[in-house]
Amino acid sequence: MQFSAIQIILVAVWAFIIAIDQFDLLESLYQPIVTGAVIGAILGDLQTGLIVGGTYQLMTIGNMPVGGAQPPNAVIGGIMATVFAISSGLDTTAAVGLAVPFALIGQYMVTLLFTVMSPVMSVADKMAEKGDTKGIVRLNYLAMGALGLLFAIVCVAGLIGGSALGTTLDAISQQYAWIMNGLSVAGGMMRFVGFAILLRIMLSNDFWGIYFAGFALATIIGYIPELSGSALILVAFVGIAIALYDFQTRVAIRQNAGSGNGGDEDGI
């Protein structure tokens, strides 16, 4: 599949914007579920973009930097997963698995850029001592522009290379089906790894019962043909209801604590 010059330019512009958003604007435009939809719309297949973006979002939902360890870059990975799925007709999980190396390369380049830019901090300190606010603003714009340009270059190179590799990938998927099966399995596992990381950080021992109840409820609903398509949404609503009830109960307990309300007179 060949992409037009307009499509390549739009991908570059979007990559530039979301690179800045990831570290500075923080409007969540860089999230794979948003990026996949936008890239899918640019490349003419919004549905595939939504599916791939949602799948990649599940994979990265628990990813976070811990000290000096950085997870694969979700921005570049999400874009390349969508590109592979649309340009080569790959299965969603296979496209996600194939995009991981690009995400790793992207994060390495980000780390390199941050390392190169680290001496600029001393320059900013001197500007702060002099009260040169305009100079500090210029430095921030310079850093954001460099980061956006880096992302744009990587994504455009991947876009052009991805379209050029389309025929080869199709041939590989037919001749070496086990490779694509491996990518599909790897891509399918990554979403669960993301959730496992998230649970490792957030899950409290007090919530294990709710977790297992939600798992059982999702499994039961999933086996009902009329409800299987909306199983996760239904379970999410149940979870929201439980969370609201728990919140309201705790608020009521705090308000009544030490107030003298209650007793035997009202039968409670």
Side-chain angles (χ1 to χ4, degrees):
M1 179 179 178
Q2 296 295 325
F3 301 115
S4 66
I6 297 298
Q7 289 175 318
I8 295 174
I9 292 173
L10 288 176
V11 169
V13 171
W14 180 250
F16 185 90
I17 293 172
I18 59 179
I20 297 175
D21 180 66
Q22 183 180 17
F23 295 100
D24 296 282
L25 302 179
L26 302 177
E27 296 294 336
S28 294
L29 297 176
Y30 69 92
Q31 296 291 349
I33 195 170
V34 178
T35 298
V38 173
I39 296 299
I42 292 174
L43 301 183
D45 194 344
L46 176 60
Q47 181 176 357
T48 299
L50 285 169
I51 295 173
V52 175
T55 302
Y56 205 93
Q57 185 76 53
L58 292 176
M59 186 191 88
T60 61
I61 194 169
N63 285 359
M64 61 181 63
V66 180
Q70 296 290 326
N73 189 270
V75 174
I76 295 177
I79 290 177
M80 292 313 304
T82 306
V83 168
F84 282 127
I86 294 175
S87 65
S88 306
L90 291 176
D91 176 75
T92 300
T93 52
V96 169
L98 196 60
V100 170
F102 286 88
L104 289 171
I105 292 173
Q107 190 55 52
Y108 292 152
M109 297 185 72
V110 169
T111 303
L112 177 62
L113 177 64
F114 286 175
T115 302
V116 172
M117 292 293 294
S118 58
V120 177
M121 293 300 297
S122 59
V123 178
D125 289 337
K126 294 178 181 179
M127 289 180 176
E129 292 175 358
K130 298 178 182 179
D132 186 4
T133 57
K134 292 183 178 179
I136 296 176
V137 170
R138 285 195 298 270
L139 283 179
N140 279 278
Y141 283 146
L142 173 64
M144 288 189 289
L147 183 64
L149 184 61
L150 174 65
F151 273 52
I153 292 174
V154 172
C155 290
V156 168
L159 179 67
I160 297 174
S163 64
L165 288 172
T167 304
T168 304
L169 290 174
D170 285 336
I172 290 175
S173 64
Q174 296 176 9
Q175 186 174 0
Y176 302 101
W178 61 274
I179 295 179
M180 293 301 149
N181 291 337
L183 290 173
S184 297
V185 172
M189 290 175 60
M190 287 172 187
R191 69 187 77 174
F192 301 109
V193 171
F195 267 110
I197 295 174
L198 186 64
L199 288 174
R200 175 64 177 170
I201 296 170
M202 296 181 62
L203 189 61
S204 170
N205 291 333
D206 297 336
F207 298 141
W208 276 109
I210 296 177
Y211 169 75
F212 286 121
F215 181 81
L217 183 60
T219 303
I220 294 171
I221 295 177
Y223 276 103
I224 302 175
E226 294 80 5
L227 300 177
S228 60
S230 57
L232 290 179
I233 296 178
L234 294 174
V235 174
F237 279 127
V238 173
I240 292 172
I242 295 174
L244 287 174
Y245 176 77
D246 181 72
F247 174 76
Q248 292 170 349
T249 301
R250 291 175 184 272
V251 170
I253 292 174
R254 284 198 300 268
Q255 290 176 345
N256 290 326
S259 64
N261 295 333
D264 296 332
E265 294 84 0
D266 55 3
I268 300 178

